[in-house]
């Protein structure tokens, strides 16, 4: 019995720590106070397990990710047209963390929404939690500097806040938290629309770079690509 307990404690000690990726979370979100003893500690005192120490298949990462799993795939800084199978940096999410960051249900999220102006003065709603609204306003400022030929990719938008599940899953979309935006669907490509999942893209590199500059990752850098989609994930970009 003592031997079993010792082995268990030794096994846990292998992953019971806060690494550099945990620190990226602390630096990225005001709602997070610290990481200590393998727990992410929120400003409200809530503790979330950082690393469960389990090896997971790709589907398990999608559906049962711990917080540490969100860093499984490194986000490419280069503009690529081909990624390894299932290479989806940022698509792995821990839903408990997102609910702590933005709200546990539709009504709670709606309390923190703010209306801002898009590139053409039209109004859109995003969360003010953790500075998402401020970051998107910086995106808008820089997008307005692009030639008018770029505007067709940016309006009409596909949407911002909508409490919903990701198509074909039981997982909440980041749109549910008001921390994502889909740009013009007309110029977008999505892996579920493709018969063979071959990557296609029409979104200009300059638009992607502006979003990334201000903390938004692009769904066009996923094997399961979604080129209209940008979500606020500064920790992935650090």
């Amino acid at each position: 019995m003592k031997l079993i307990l010792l082995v268990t404690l030794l096994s846990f000690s292998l992953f019971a720590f806060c690494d550099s990726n945990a620190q990226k979370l602390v630096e990225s979100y005001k709602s997070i106070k610290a990481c200590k003893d393998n727990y992410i500690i929120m400003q409200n005192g809530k503790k979330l397990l950082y690393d469960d120490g389990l090896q997971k298949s790709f589907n398990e990462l999608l559906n049962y990710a711990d917080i540490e799993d969100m860093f499984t795939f490194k986000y490419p800084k280069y503009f690529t047209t081909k990624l390894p199978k299932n290479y989806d940096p940022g698509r792995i999410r821990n839903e408990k963390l997102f609910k702590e960051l933005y709200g546990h249900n539709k009504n709670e999220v709606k309390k923190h929404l703010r209306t801002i102006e898009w590139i053409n003065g039209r109004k859109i709603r995003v969360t003010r939690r953790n500075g998402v609204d401020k970051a998107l306003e910086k995106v808008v400022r820089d997008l307005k500097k692009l030639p008018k030929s770029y505007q067709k990719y940016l309006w009409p938008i596909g949407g911002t806040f909508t409490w919903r599940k990701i198509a074909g899953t039981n997982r909440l979309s980041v749109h549910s938290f008001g921390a994502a935006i889909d740009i013009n669907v007309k110029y977008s490509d999505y892996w579920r629309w493709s018969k063979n999942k071959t990557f296609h893209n029409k979104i200009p590199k300059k638009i992607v770079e502006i979003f990334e500059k201000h903390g938004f990752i692009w769904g066009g850098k996923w094997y399961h690509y979604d080129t209209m989609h940008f979500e606020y994930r500064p920790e992935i970009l650090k």
Side-chain angles (χ1 to χ4, degrees):
M1 186 65 179
K2 290 182 178 179
L3 179 60
I4 293 174
L5 179 60
L6 178 61
V7 171
T8 301
L9 290 172
L10 286 173
S11 298
F12 184 78
S13 67
L14 292 175
F15 60 86
F17 66 94
C18 295
D19 59 15
S20 60
N21 287 329
Q23 185 58 35
K24 292 176 184 178
L25 287 166
V26 177
E27 294 171 355
S28 297
Y29 299 103
K30 292 181 180 179
S31 295
I32 298 177
K33 182 177 181 180
C35 182
K36 185 178 181 181
D37 300 330
N38 200 34
Y39 281 89
I40 294 294
I41 303 172
M42 309 303 295
Q43 293 290 354
N44 62 9
K46 183 76 174 290
K47 293 183 178 181
L48 301 175
L49 182 67
Y50 177 63
D51 184 1
D52 60 18
L54 301 177
Q55 296 295 317
K56 302 182 180 83
S57 66
F58 177 70
N59 284 333
E60 288 171 337
L61 285 170
L62 287 175
N63 293 294
Y64 309 108
D66 61 27
I67 297 173
E68 186 270 343
D69 289 330
M70 299 197 307
F71 297 93
T72 297
F73 305 109
K74 186 174 179 60
Y75 189 84
K77 294 185 178 181
Y78 51 89
F79 201 81
T80 181
T81 59
K82 187 174 179 60
L83 289 168
K85 184 177 180 180
N86 294 335
Y87 196 91
D88 290 343
R91 194 163 169 257
I92 309 301
R93 309 179 188 95
N94 178 272
E95 196 167 290
K96 289 183 179 179
L97 176 62
F98 277 77
K99 287 182 175 180
E100 288 296 328
L101 291 174
Y102 300 113
H104 293 79
N105 54 60
K106 180 178 180 179
N107 289 333
E108 191 172 329
V109 173
K110 287 176 71 174
K111 291 178 182 178
H112 301 289
L113 293 180
R114 178 180 165 230
T115 299
I116 67 172
E117 288 190 359
W118 189 232
I119 58 165
N120 52 4
R122 298 293 185 94
K123 308 297 185 183
I124 61 173
R125 294 193 304 165
V126 293
T127 184
R128 64 169 63 92
R129 295 293 302 274
N130 294 291
V132 175
D133 58 334
K134 300 295 186 184
L136 193 56
E137 285 181 321
K138 292 177 182 178
V139 170
V140 172
R141 178 197 65 198
D142 288 351
L143 289 176
K144 285 182 176 181
K145 298 176 184 177
L146 295 176
K148 287 187 177 181
S149 59
Y150 284 80
Q151 291 186 3
K152 66 181 182 181
Y153 302 102
L154 301 166
W155 186 264
I157 64 168
T160 53
F161 168 69
T162 307
W163 185 269
R164 63 172 176 83
K165 293 180 179 179
I166 300 169
T169 80
N170 287 316
R171 306 189 306 275
L172 284 173
S173 165
V174 180
H175 289 281
S176 300
F177 304 107
I181 182 171
D182 288 344
I183 56 177
N184 196 346
V185 178
K186 180 179 179 180
Y187 295 97
S188 300
D189 295 279
Y190 181 43
W191 71 276
R192 287 186 179 273
W193 300 342
S194 174
K195 293 182 179 179
N196 57 12
K197 298 181 182 178
T198 302
F199 179 77
H200 298 281
N201 174 53
K202 307 178 192 72
I203 306 301
K205 181 181 178 181
K206 287 185 178 180
I207 290 177
V208 175
E209 289 176 340
I210 287 172
F211 272 96
E212 291 177 339
K213 176 183 176 182
H214 299 295
F216 291 82
I217 62 170
W218 179 45
K221 290 186 178 180
W222 299 340
Y223 173 80
H224 295 90
Y225 58 92
D226 184 358
T227 66
M228 74 187 90
H229 182 82
F230 294 88
E231 63 183 75
Y232 188 68
R233 300 290 300 283
E235 77 282 8
I236 300 296
L237 291 163
K238 288 182 179 293

